[in-house]
Amino acid sequence: MIRALLLSLRQLTDPPVLRVFVKSMAMTLLVFAVAGVGVWWGTQAALAAWLGWDADGLAAAFALFVTILALWLLFRAVAIAVVGVFADEVVAAVEARHYPAALKTAHPVPFAQSVAMGLRSAARVVLVNLLMLPVYIALLVTGVGTAAAFFVVNGWLLGRDLGDMVAARHMDAAAMRGWRATTRSGRFALGLANTGLFVVPILNIAAPVLGAAMATHYFHTQYSRKGQS
C-alpha cells in the first residue's frame, strides 16, 4: 500500500489525473453549493409561510451552517460518488504509465455504469454509517472504539468500491464476484489506507482520486503475482 500511495502521489500532477481531480472537486463543491442554496430558499420560504418573517439573514446563516455541517459529514460519500463517474479516466492514466499491456486489453466502463457504481458507493457509505451511528456513539466511552469502528466499517466499504472501479475494466460480473472472494484482506487494507487519507487535512481533498490510482496498482500487482505463480 505504501508503494501504491507513493506511485499515486507522483502521478497526481499528470494532466489526465489532474483533470479528473479538478472536475471531481468542482462537481463535489457544486453539489454542496446547490444543496446550500436549496436550504436557504426552503428556510426562507418556511419562515415566511409559518411565521410571516422576511428573514433573509437568518435563512442565509442557517443555510451556511447546514452546508458546512454537510461538508464535514458527507464530503467523503459525495466525493467518492463523483470521482466514481470519472474513475475510469484515472485508472486508464495509471495503466498507460505503469501497465501498458493491461491497458490494451481493458474495456472502458460505460458512463452510465460509472454513474451507477458511484451512486451505489455513496448510498452504501451513507446508509451503513447511519446504521452504525448508535454503535459509534456507544463506543465513545472507550476513547478509541469509535475511531476503530469507523476505520473498520469504511475500510471495508471503500475497499470493495475502489477495487470494483478497476476490476470492471477487466472482468465480467461473474469474474468480479470471484475476485472479490479471493482478495478480501487486500481490498480491506486498500480501504483502510484510503480511509486514513480522508482524515488527513489537505490530503483528504485528493483522497478519492488517490484511492482510484492506488486501487489500480493493487489490482495489477495482484494479477502479476498470480501470473508468476
Side-chain angles (χ1 to χ4, degrees):
M1 288 306 153
I2 294 176
R3 173 181 175 274
L5 175 59
L6 292 176
L7 289 174
S8 301
L9 283 169
R10 290 172 191 164
Q11 200 169 352
L12 193 57
T13 55
D14 280 9
V17 178
L18 190 58
R19 280 196 297 270
V20 171
F21 171 72
V22 172
K23 287 190 295 186
S24 61
M25 280 305 303
M27 188 173 291
T28 299
L29 293 177
L30 179 62
V31 168
F32 285 106
V34 170
V37 170
V39 172
W40 168 78
W41 181 85
T43 303
Q44 189 180 45
L47 290 174
W50 298 342
L51 303 175
W53 292 359
D54 185 12
D56 286 351
L58 180 60
F62 180 70
L64 180 62
F65 169 76
V66 170
T67 302
I68 292 173
L69 183 64
L71 267 169
W72 180 54
L73 293 174
L74 299 175
F75 172 78
R76 181 169 44 87
V78 174
I80 284 291
V82 170
V83 86
V85 176
F86 306 113
D88 208 50
E89 297 177 43
V90 177
V91 178
V94 175
E95 289 180 344
R97 181 168 176 174
H98 297 280
Y99 313 99
L103 179 62
K104 293 178 182 178
T105 60
H107 301 284
V109 180
F111 180 75
Q113 183 179 347
S114 294
V115 171
M117 290 173 65
L119 291 176
R120 284 198 299 267
S121 176
R124 276 193 293 267
V125 168
V126 173
L127 179 59
V128 173
N129 279 283
L130 282 175
L131 291 174
M132 286 293 296
L133 192 57
V135 177
Y136 294 154
I137 294 173
L139 290 174
L140 283 172
V141 296
T142 67
V144 297
T146 299
F150 176 85
F151 266 79
V152 169
V153 169
N154 289 278
W156 167 64
L157 288 168
L158 287 176
R160 173 195 169 103
D161 293 333
L162 290 170
D164 283 2
M165 290 178 185
V166 187
R169 289 171 54 85
H170 300 276
M171 299 175 169
D172 59 22
M176 283 178 65
R177 286 193 292 271
W179 179 73
R180 290 190 198 115
T182 59
T183 56
R184 288 192 181 96
S185 59
R187 286 185 295 106
F188 180 58
L190 171 68
L192 285 177
N194 201 237
T195 301
L197 293 178
F198 271 105
V199 300
V200 178
I202 299 177
L203 197 58
N204 59 356
I205 297 173
V209 173
L210 288 172
M214 290 172 64
T216 308
H217 289 294
Y218 168 74
F219 179 87
H220 291 296
T221 299
Q222 289 296 108
Y223 267 79
S224 66
R225 287 175 180 171
K226 287 184 178 181
Q228 294 169 5
S229 61

